[in-house]
Each structure stands twice: as C-alpha cells, then as structure tokens.
Amino acid sequence: MPTNVTVPGMGDSITEAVLLRWLKNDGDSVAMDEPLCELETDKANVDLPATAAGVLRHAKTAGDTVHIGETIARIDDGAGNAPAPSRPASAEQTAAAAPAPAATKAAAPVATSSKSEDLSPAVRRVVAEKGLDASKITGTGPGGRITKDDAQTFAEPKGNGMKSSGTSQPMPSAPSPATPSTPTAVAGAGGMTGFDADGKKRVPMTKIRIRIAQTLVQAQQTAAILTTFNEVDLSEVMAIRGRLKEKFEKTHGIGLGFMSFFSRAVALGLKEFPRINAEIDGTDVIYNEHVHLGIAVSTDRGLTVPVLRNAETLSFAKIESEIKRLALAARDGKLGLNELSGGTFTITNGGVFGSLLSTPILNPPQSGILGMHTIQKRPVAVGDKIEIRPMMYIALSYDHRVVDGKESVSFLVRVKEYLEDPTRLMLEV
C-alpha cells in the first residue's frame, strides 16, 4: 500500500518549513531511510528520510512552504524510474533529469582554486550548480569565508554584460543604462554587487535570520533581563592545557579546548543553583533535573545553538568531541532537529571574534546565558604583587523574574572558582 511522506514534528516552536529541494526525482525508486528532500527550517536544514521502500511520487514542489504533518509525497510499492502517470514532471525536474550536451559540460568552469577546499557543502553545491570559480568570490562570512548568499549573489548576472562566473560570454542584448530601479554592477561594502543608483540593495531575510530577530525581540519584551559580570584568571586552565593537551589528544583523539572547562564549570554550578537552569511557564517555574547545555555556534546562515544533552554527566573528552561534531554539523546545515531543541542553559563565546565584554541576550524560554570573551593579558594584584595574568571577563544574563541577584552573583563566582582551581572540577567541590 502507498505510504504518505509527511513533514515530521521539528521541535520547539517550529510549525512550518520550506521544501528547499528534492534529492530524489518523481518516479525514482527509493530505499528505506534514503534521503528524499531537504527541508529548511528557521533553525537548520534537515534531510527527510524515506519511511518505506518503493517509488516516490511528489505532491509538493521545491520552494513550497509546508507545515508539520502535511503530506509532501507518497511512496508507492514497486520499482521506479518511470514517469508518474497522473502528474507530469516539472520543467525543473525535466531539466535536472535530462543529460547535458557534451559541449555544455565542457564549457562549465569548475572551482579549481584551493579556496574551494574551505567551502561548506551548501556553498559548494551552489558553486558546482552555477559553474562558479570560488577564487573570484569575495567572502563576507567569519574569517572571510564564502557564504551561500555570497555565491548566489556572485552568480547573478551583472549589468556590465558579462556573466558573474568571470567568463567572457556576452548577454543576448546590450543592457540599458542604469536607472534608480536598475541594479548596477558597482561593488560596494564587502565586495557585494547589485546596488541600485541610490546605493541600496534589497535582499529577503532568510528564515533563520527572521527567527533570530523574533527570538531576540521576544526575549527583550517578555523577560526581565539583567547581566552580572566577573573576571577569571585562566592561568591554571592554560597551564593544564599546555602540560596535557598532547597526551589528551593522543589518548582521546580530540583536542583539549577551553569550552570543556567552561561547560563542566557551568554544569556543576547549575546543579548548585537550579533556578538558573529553570524556566517560567505562565505562573509556574519548571525545574530541570539535567543540564542540557546550548553552545552558540556562528554559521553562514546565522547563529544556531546545538544542545549537549545531560552535560553534567559528560567527561572532558566527550564534551570536546560533541562540541566539534555539533559545530561541524551546524556549519554544514546538517544538525538534527533533536539537537536544536530542549536546551536549559546556553554558553556563547564572543571571544573568538575578539569581544572583550558584552551582555548576551537570553535564549527563551531559558533563564540564563553565560558569555565568554577574549583572553587578554592584564596586570592584576596577586597577594601583594602585581603580575601579568591571562584574564577573561565573563557575563551572566539572567531572567530576574525567576533568578534573584544573590543567586546570579553566587553562580558566577562559583564558575570563577572552578576555573581558577580546575582540580575542583574533577572533585566536584
């Protein structure tokens, strides 16, 4: 019997998604658990697997907005690779299925620059599909990395009569002179192009950027956010890393970073001060037995917060390996929806971008978020002497509706104590 392919539940607050693209054509044979399509939500891109084997029949097309529980395809019994009798293939699907002429294949440039090695899968796909030369694209992402928007903007035909791939193919007709409503090819800030005569360029916000904006406004409007600060001397943490990082990596196959120390310190601190790990639901306070720790990760698509489940039970090696796995999955847009929901507290590290001090905003419905910052050598008083120490400012933003000032300050002091004497992390004292 036919099996309906429906949009599954996708975690907290997600009610719809965009069917970004089909990975299998209409009429193709599919196997159980084989990825059928890619869905874009306001938190991540996810592949939807087949729940049965058979022949795929599309009910929705790429670009459609779909809702949780909605049927987007069906899987019929039998062998595939035959056109659907009741539904003609779309022009996009026909073009994708048709073999390209040999001359066309030869003419398409490929990204041969070493710069292409640093591309995320999403960007690499655009480069391959559009036949772009990655070495000619100016990246606006962190560290100058090329984002998907960079590649798509570069692929847009420019008003100078040349294709954006850098090849000298003339357009069918000469372009008309630029007017206030006609994009120009003059490069602007960050190497962007396509600005009109007034120097403006309108680009629709992505779903994840819209969601980030909504979440930040929601946090500001619904929570009583306060921030308390402290500073941490990281001399002992750095000494441990310097002494044991090679042995740690040899033993566990993963590098020893700062995040495992902070994650462990936060997890222990939250067990001592459970209200900071709680949330408000109406007139009730919901306490959480476990620490599900969100780690903010910056990606080409925006900020995403994958979650370390039961962080209080994880070893340093497990924390490091999970953070690395989640960060790579976030960069590639392959996080599972269960990895993006259910967090009870968040850590964000603006220090990787050079931030010295900031006031992080809560990630609703959580009641606390810890901000890490850049490590800076500063003169500090140690006993009766002035010494140069590696110092970091840390900030705790919290919801004052559920967390009192005494609790917030005490929690931050406890985190500071754990980090300045890391042996306490091992002994849990």
Side-chain angles (χ1 to χ4, degrees):
M1 293 184 61
T3 301
N4 287 335
V5 178
T6 60
V7 181
M10 298 189 181
D12 302 340
S13 73
I14 298 179
T15 60
E16 65 179 26
V18 173
L19 203 169
L20 202 59
R21 64 185 184 117
W22 283 105
L23 302 175
K24 302 293 288 186
N25 292 322
D26 193 288
D28 281 356
S29 291
V30 297
M32 173 75 79
D33 296 326
E34 185 175 10
L36 302 178
C37 64
E38 185 177 0
L39 299 176
E40 181 186 46
T41 74
D42 52 28
K43 292 187 176 181
N45 288 13
V46 294
D47 290 344
L48 183 62
T51 55
V55 182
L56 181 66
R57 302 299 185 189
H58 295 176
K60 296 289 184 178
T61 59
D64 286 351
T65 297
V66 295
H67 297 83
I68 304 303
E70 186 175 0
T71 297
I72 61 174
R74 75 175 190 272
I75 300 175
D76 294 338
D77 297 333
N81 295 323
S86 59
R87 186 175 182 271
S90 67
E92 178 183 349
Q93 293 161 354
T94 302
T104 303
K105 291 182 179 178
V110 295
T112 57
S113 167
S114 61
K115 191 174 183 178
S116 65
E117 298 175 1
D118 297 327
L119 303 180
S120 69
V123 176
R124 193 177 297 115
R125 184 164 58 245
V126 174
V127 169
E129 290 174 352
K130 303 291 186 180
L132 307 179
D133 184 349
S135 65
K136 292 184 172 65
I137 304 175
T138 301
T140 61
R145 290 183 55 242
I146 298 172
T147 68
K148 185 177 179 181
D149 287 341
D150 294 334
Q152 290 175 332
T153 299
F154 186 80
E156 295 173 358
K158 303 179 183 180
N160 59 2
M162 310 291 285
K163 283 195 174 183
S164 60
S165 63
T167 59
S168 56
Q169 296 173 314
M171 300 296 285
S173 60
S176 58
T179 65
S181 62
T182 303
T184 69
V186 178
M192 292 182 64
T193 59
F195 293 92
D196 62 23
D198 294 328
K200 299 182 183 299
K201 177 179 180 178
R202 184 181 296 272
V203 179
M205 294 174 69
T206 62
K207 288 184 69 65
I208 191 170
R209 179 58 58 186
I210 292 172
R211 181 58 179 168
I212 289 172
Q214 293 171 340
T215 299
L216 296 180
V217 172
Q218 175 193 354
Q220 294 280 34
Q221 293 179 342
T222 60
I225 303 177
L226 273 72
T227 305
T228 184
F229 304 92
N230 214 314
E231 62 177 354
V232 178
D233 181 351
L234 291 173
S235 298
E236 291 299 319
V237 170
M238 296 182 74
I240 290 175
R241 288 186 71 241
R243 188 169 67 251
L244 298 175
K245 63 180 180 180
E246 290 185 5
K247 188 172 183 180
F248 184 91
E249 185 169 3
K250 184 177 180 180
T251 302
H252 300 290
I254 190 73
L256 178 60
F258 291 105
M259 192 59 76
S260 54
F261 289 90
F262 277 84
S263 298
R264 184 68 176 155
V266 163
L268 293 179
L270 291 176
K271 300 302 287 185
E272 185 176 351
F273 299 96
R275 293 177 71 88
I276 304 176
N277 196 44
E279 62 189 68
I280 289 181
D281 182 21
T283 57
D284 297 327
V285 176
I286 300 176
Y287 290 89
N288 294 289
E289 179 181 6
H290 301 289
V291 176
H292 300 315
L293 192 59
I295 305 293
V297 177
S298 179
T299 72
D300 294 343
R301 300 176 65 243
L303 190 71
T304 188
V305 188
V307 177
L308 290 175
R309 302 283 175 185
N310 303 316
E312 78 280 5
T313 67
L314 302 180
S315 66
F316 272 53
K318 186 63 174 176
I319 290 173
E320 293 289 355
S321 62
E322 278 295 285
I323 289 176
K324 181 178 180 179
R325 181 186 67 81
L326 291 170
L328 290 174
R331 170 183 167 179
D332 295 343
K334 296 300 181 183
L335 283 170
L337 291 169
N338 62 316
E339 296 170 323
L340 286 164
S341 59
T344 60
F345 187 91
T346 295
I347 297 179
T348 181
N349 184 7
V352 296
F353 304 111
S355 173
L356 183 63
L357 191 63
S358 67
T359 55
I361 299 178
L362 293 178
N363 185 18
Q366 298 171 21
S367 297
I369 180 172
L370 180 76
M372 299 168 57
H373 300 91
T374 192
I375 300 173
Q376 188 177 68
K377 289 186 176 181
R378 296 198 298 271
V380 296
V382 181
D384 294 328
K385 298 180 180 180
I386 300 296
E387 297 185 11
I388 304 298
R389 295 292 183 95
M391 305 297 294
M392 176 191 286
Y393 290 118
I394 55 176
L396 173 71
S397 291
Y398 60 97
D399 190 343
H400 207 353
R401 295 177 302 167
V402 62
V403 179
D404 293 332
K406 178 182 177 181
E407 289 175 296
S408 64
V409 173
S410 299
F411 168 81
L412 205 58
V413 168
R414 185 69 73 245
V415 170
K416 169 185 171 72
E417 291 172 347
Y418 282 134
L419 294 169
E420 292 187 340
D421 185 4
T423 55
R424 299 182 61 175
L425 294 176
M426 322 302 171
L427 302 177
E428 300 186 18
V429 295

